[in-house]
């Protein structure tokens, strides 16, 4: 398929149009003379197929146009969606309307001049294969034994969920094919996990006419750089394609980290295989437990975990050491709201580290030598496709799937995974109506269930001298106080009273008290807590508002720190806003505040009787220094 040919804008086509001539029609993947199937991509060869021989044009994103630069194609008297045109080649999608026709007339029209008609055979299926990739990475690398393979095809025929007649793929749930699909790899049968339209959100572009078949490569499949892969649909074999198949390897673990949670410190791993890696625990090989099995096409990876016993002195996977918690921890790094925003209102340039600096911020946080790292929630922001013409995010995956999670969180957090155990908070972007499935598959600290939970119970972890009380505030609405929601969180604040110590932080994604550019936050939590926390809670720590912000209050209450400036679009205050002193929030007055409006992260160092917080820029340079203790945050 011609996806990288530059677009030439030509003004004139000449005074005398020549008659277009069709010489052959072939499958767009195989370039063989095969029947066409409704919904598939075909290639038309000939002469005078555009008005100017210099023209090479690829169509814009779906829905594909039926007229492009004066060129149109009709199949069975239905306008066909155009993917690519040049003087000697046109790629089109066969209209869904011709299914079952057996034969359809095909013509090409260029600036009003129509070619002679060609009879095109229409089959139920006409499978053809473009290429193969590892399903977990979709990179141009070899696929390993025991790994899931994504095979890109066309011509697999009718679908359980058919896209509109315009040729556009309807975004959302997967659209499996109706035909029975099988795959052999080097002559060996592979288990098919999915066969249907290739989801646009995984590819980063609209996948008109493109199908995907996901299979598990047998653990004993032949290896080499030219192993034949054959897709068969409804008993008809596609063109064999030669794939690079590598032996199985421990390197198939994609990510590994340790995470503090409800059950203590756990080792976690994500792999592209169907089997969890071995964990070497205190020198002894120990099996990890599968947490969430792969679910193709959207989650082609296996999530694994194991709670580490208190006696653990060393843990590693494939020779790579996992960070353990220092019992005398004195430094934590804090980073929040790290995902790259792709939604209907705003799209960041995810490919530009100046606009989405999370990779730099995470590397700097890891380099600060923390004993633990706190991520304050909103890890996943890629919810909609990159707008056409926006070069800053072109090619980005999006939606609620592994590809988007990988790009938004895992790929950029690797330095932190290697540096220190993590405490991960669930944000409103990880609620059940958004990226909740990925949160529970990979990052929640309780046993996995396929049912997404609106609320999860708080838990405590001890880091050095301080107890962290971790709350899931994903359902806490900022500007309303729904009684049912308030009741849920009131019960959680009651639990805090039972476990509070003289040195406790309460941590949640939403700040109980905070100022964004439109007003104050969070009415649900303020109502549920009665704007009062138990004595002993030294700090309320949150993200959600995309700045570094601290607040002290009168009457005296627990001070609030917000560190949500990890990478997502920054909060847009007026230039004159430098502090919030004297403002009213939650039945109190702000008596002291600090504000840093740029990207960065925060470190906290225990000095023996208090914590020193330093707001840092993305490279780790200190911006603001604060003392946290005695019921206040005092900043320079």
């Amino acid at each position: 398929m011609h996806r990288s040919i530059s677009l030439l804008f030509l003004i004139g086509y000449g005074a005398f149009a020549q008659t277009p001539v069709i010489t052959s029609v072939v499958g767009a993947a195989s370039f063989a003379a095969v029947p066409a199937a409704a919904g598939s991509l075909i290639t038309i060869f000939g002469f005078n197929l555009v008005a100017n021989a210099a023209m090479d044009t690829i169509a814009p994103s779906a829905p594909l146009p039926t007229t492009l630069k004066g060129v149109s194609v009709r199949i069975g008297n239905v306008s066909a969606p155009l993917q690519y045109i040049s003087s000697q080649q046109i790629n089109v999608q066969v209209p869904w309307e011709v299914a079952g026709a057996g034969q359809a007339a095909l013509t090409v029209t260029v600036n009003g001049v129509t070619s002679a008609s060609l009879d095109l055979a229409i089959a139920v299926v006409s499978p053809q294969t473009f290429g193969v990739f590892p399903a977990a990475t979709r990179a141009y690398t070899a696929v390993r034994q025991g790994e899931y393979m994504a095979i890109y095809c066309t011509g697999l025929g009718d679908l359980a969920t058919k896209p509109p007649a315009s040729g556009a793929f309807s975004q959302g749930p997967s659209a499996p094919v109706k035909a029975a699909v099988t795959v052999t790899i080097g002559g060996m049968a592979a288990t098919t996990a999915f066969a249907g339209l290739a989801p646009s959100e995984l590819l980063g572009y609209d996948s008109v006419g493109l199908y995907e078949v996901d299979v598990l490569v047998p653990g004993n499949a032949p290896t080499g750089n030219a192993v034949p892969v054959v897709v068969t649909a409804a008993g008809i074999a596609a063109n064999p394609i030669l794939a690079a198949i590598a032996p199985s390897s421990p390197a198939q673990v994609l990510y590994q980290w340790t995470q503090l949670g409800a059950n203590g410190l756990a080792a976690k791993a994500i792999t592209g295989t169907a089997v969890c890696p071995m964990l070497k625990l205190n020198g002894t090989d120990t099996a990890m437990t599968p947490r969430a099995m792969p679910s193709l096409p959207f989650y082609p990876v296996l999530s694994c975990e194991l709670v580490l016993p208190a006696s653990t002195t060393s843990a590693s996977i494939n020779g790579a050491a996992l960070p353990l918690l220092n019992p005398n921890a004195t430094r934590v790094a804090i980073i929040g709201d790290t995902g790259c925003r792709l939604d209907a209102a705003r799209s960041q340039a995810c490919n530009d580290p100046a606009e989405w600096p999370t990779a730099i911020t995470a590397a700097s946080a890891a380099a600060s030598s923390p004993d633990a790292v706190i991520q304050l929630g909103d890890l996943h922001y890629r919810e909609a496709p990159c707008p056409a013409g926006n070069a800053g995010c072109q090619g980005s995956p999006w939606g609620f799937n592994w590809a988007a999670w990988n790009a938004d969180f895992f790929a950029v957090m690797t330095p932190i995974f290697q540096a220190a155990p993590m405490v991960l908070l669930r944000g409103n972007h990880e609620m059940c109506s958004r990226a909740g499935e990925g949160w529970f598959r990979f990052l929640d600290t309780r046993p996995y269930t396929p049912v997404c939970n609106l609320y999860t119970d708080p838990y405590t972890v001890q880091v050095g001298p301080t107890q962290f009380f971790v709350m899931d505030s994903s359902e806490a609405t900022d500007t309303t106080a729904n009684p049912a929601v308030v009741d849920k969180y009131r019960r959680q604040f009651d639990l805090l009273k039972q476990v509070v110590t003289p040195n406790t932080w309460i941590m949640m994604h939403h700040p109980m008290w905070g100022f964004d550019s439109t007003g104050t936050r969070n009415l649900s939590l303020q109502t549920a807590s009665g704007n009062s926390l138990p004595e002993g809670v030294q700090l309320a720590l949150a993200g959600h508002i995309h700045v570094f912000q601290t607040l002290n209050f009168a009457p005296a209450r627990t001070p609030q720190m917000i560190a949500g400036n990890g990478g997502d679009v920054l909060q847009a205050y007026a230039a004159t806003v430098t502090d919030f002193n004297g403002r009213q929030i939650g039945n109190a007055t702000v008596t002291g505040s600090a504000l840093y409006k740029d990207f960065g992260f925060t470190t906290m160092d225990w000095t023996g009787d208090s914590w020193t917080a330093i707001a840092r820029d993305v490279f780790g340079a200190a911006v603001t220094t604060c003392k946290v203790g005695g019921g206040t945050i005092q900043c320079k």
Side-chain angles (χ1 to χ4, degrees):
M1 293 184 293
H2 298 265
R3 296 192 179 276
S4 59
I5 300 174
S6 60
L7 198 65
L8 300 180
F9 294 94
L10 303 175
I11 299 175
Y13 297 103
F16 301 100
Q18 295 179 299
T19 301
V21 176
I22 302 171
T23 58
S24 63
V25 179
V26 297
S30 64
F31 274 19
V34 293
S40 68
L41 294 169
I42 61 172
T43 296
I44 303 167
F45 288 118
F47 302 101
N48 307 325
L49 300 183
V50 295
N52 188 306
M55 182 186 293
D56 286 333
T57 302
I58 54 176
S61 298
L64 294 180
T66 54
T67 300
L68 186 60
K69 301 294 182 180
V71 177
S72 62
V73 173
R74 294 185 72 81
I75 299 175
N77 206 32
V78 179
S79 295
L82 300 171
Q83 186 196 56
Y84 166 82
I85 62 173
S86 71
S87 61
Q88 296 184 13
Q89 178 180 341
I90 298 176
N91 285 5
V92 302
Q93 184 190 31
V94 179
W96 291 103
E97 293 89 336
V98 302
Q103 184 172 289
L106 182 150
T107 59
V108 175
T109 299
V110 180
N111 286 349
V113 180
T114 300
S115 69
S117 176
L118 180 146
D119 289 332
L120 181 67
I122 305 295
V124 175
V125 297
S126 183
Q128 303 151 60
T129 307
F130 287 108
V132 303
F133 307 87
T137 62
R138 297 179 186 266
Y140 290 92
T141 59
V143 186
R144 294 186 178 276
Q145 295 169 324
E147 198 170 46
Y148 282 96
M149 171 190 287
I151 309 169
Y152 293 151
C153 312
T154 193
L156 299 188
D158 203 4
L159 303 161
T161 304
K162 193 177 298 183
S166 64
F169 171 57
S170 56
Q171 299 159 359
S174 60
V177 298
K178 292 183 177 180
V181 175
T182 60
V183 176
T184 60
I185 300 173
M188 297 185 64
T191 301
T192 301
F194 172 76
L197 282 190
S200 301
E201 52 264 57
L202 302 183
L203 301 171
Y205 57 86
D206 290 303
S207 49
V208 175
L210 188 66
Y211 294 75
E212 176 176 327
V213 177
D214 297 318
V215 297
L216 183 63
V217 179
N220 58 345
T223 59
N225 293 325
V227 178
V229 175
V230 179
V231 175
T232 300
I236 300 174
N239 55 300
I241 191 164
L242 300 180
I245 307 295
S248 61
S249 166
Q252 287 165 269
V253 173
L254 302 173
Y255 301 103
Q256 58 192 51
W257 71 98
T258 53
Q259 185 174 338
L260 286 160
N263 299 308
L265 185 66
K268 293 209 168 194
I270 295 175
T271 175
T273 69
V275 180
C276 287
M278 295 298 290
L279 173 70
K280 191 169 285 295
L281 184 61
N282 295 342
T284 301
D285 284 340
T286 306
M288 298 188 76
T289 302
R291 176 176 174 82
M293 299 302 293
S295 177
L296 283 295
F298 295 117
Y299 291 95
V301 293
L302 173 65
S303 176
C304 306
E305 63 188 358
L306 184 70
V307 175
L308 301 178
S311 60
T312 301
T313 57
S314 66
S316 63
I317 298 175
N318 300 330
L322 289 164
L324 304 179
L325 183 63
N326 177 3
N328 300 309
T330 57
R331 169 172 281 196
V332 295
I334 303 165
I335 185 171
D337 298 81
T338 52
C340 182
R341 183 176 294 269
L342 293 178
D343 60 30
R346 171 76 184 270
S347 293
Q348 275 179 281
C350 303
N351 306 327
D352 182 356
E355 186 165 337
W356 185 57
T358 296
I360 300 172
T361 309
S364 298
S368 70
S369 301
D371 294 307
V373 176
I374 303 166
Q375 207 288 348
L376 292 169
D378 279 8
L379 304 82
H380 179 291
Y381 275 93
R382 303 186 194 217
E383 297 185 350
C386 177
N390 186 337
C393 55
Q394 283 302 307
S396 172
W398 57 275
F400 307 126
N401 53 68
W402 164 248
W405 268 102
N406 187 29
D408 234 10
F409 179 71
F410 290 98
V412 292
M413 287 292 155
T414 299
I416 290 178
F417 291 162
Q418 298 168 348
M422 297 196 74
V423 179
L424 295 171
L425 277 64
R426 183 184 181 192
N428 56 291
H429 277 257
E430 290 80 52
M431 61 198 305
C432 291
S433 59
R434 302 172 98 170
E437 180 178 0
W439 169 263
F440 284 104
R441 278 182 170 273
F442 306 125
L443 301 175
D444 191 63
T445 64
R446 301 160 187 81
Y448 173 72
T449 62
V451 177
C452 185
N453 295 310
L454 294 176
Y455 303 90
T456 57
D457 291 334
Y459 60 88
T460 62
V461 297
Q462 189 74 27
V463 176
T466 301
Q467 175 184 255
F468 297 164
F469 184 84
V470 182
M471 282 180 62
D472 171 2
S473 70
S474 57
E475 292 290 325
T477 49
D478 282 323
T479 58
T480 60
N482 180 288
V485 174
V486 168
D487 183 62
K488 291 284 188 180
Y489 286 112
R490 184 179 290 117
R491 298 178 187 183
Q492 299 201 17
F493 286 113
D494 288 342
L495 291 174
L496 172 62
K497 297 174 184 177
Q498 300 174 25
V499 300
V500 66
T501 69
N503 191 354
T504 294
W505 294 355
I506 183 171
M507 303 194 311
M508 62 194 86
H509 174 67
H510 296 80
M512 295 180 63
W513 310 288
F515 296 90
D516 69 8
S517 59
T518 62
T520 61
R521 302 289 183 262
N522 176 279
L523 190 58
S524 291
L525 298 174
Q526 291 173 27
T527 306
S529 66
N531 284 310
S532 176
L533 296 173
E535 185 178 352
V537 180
Q538 302 295 319
L539 179 66
L541 179 61
H544 190 55
I545 299 175
H546 301 166
V547 292
F548 174 83
Q549 182 180 139
T550 67
L551 302 170
N552 295 320
F553 307 98
R557 64 170 56 147
T558 303
Q560 176 80 63
M561 178 182 291
I562 300 168
N565 56 337
D568 188 61
V569 177
L570 292 166
Q571 189 62 220
Y573 298 104
T576 55
V577 175
T578 58
D579 62 52
F580 304 100
N581 298 340
R583 296 200 186 187
Q584 302 295 307
I585 185 171
N587 301 326
T589 302
V590 176
T591 58
S593 65
L595 179 64
Y596 174 52
K597 303 179 185 180
D598 212 337
F599 293 117
F601 67 102
T602 302
T603 57
M604 300 277 281
D605 291 285
W606 178 248
T607 61
D609 61 354
S610 62
W611 287 91
T612 297
I614 302 177
R616 302 178 181 273
D617 68 14
V618 296
F619 300 106
V623 177
T624 300
T625 301
C626 308
K627 179 181 179 180
V628 182
T632 63
I633 304 175
Q634 301 298 326
C635 298
K636 298 178 182 178

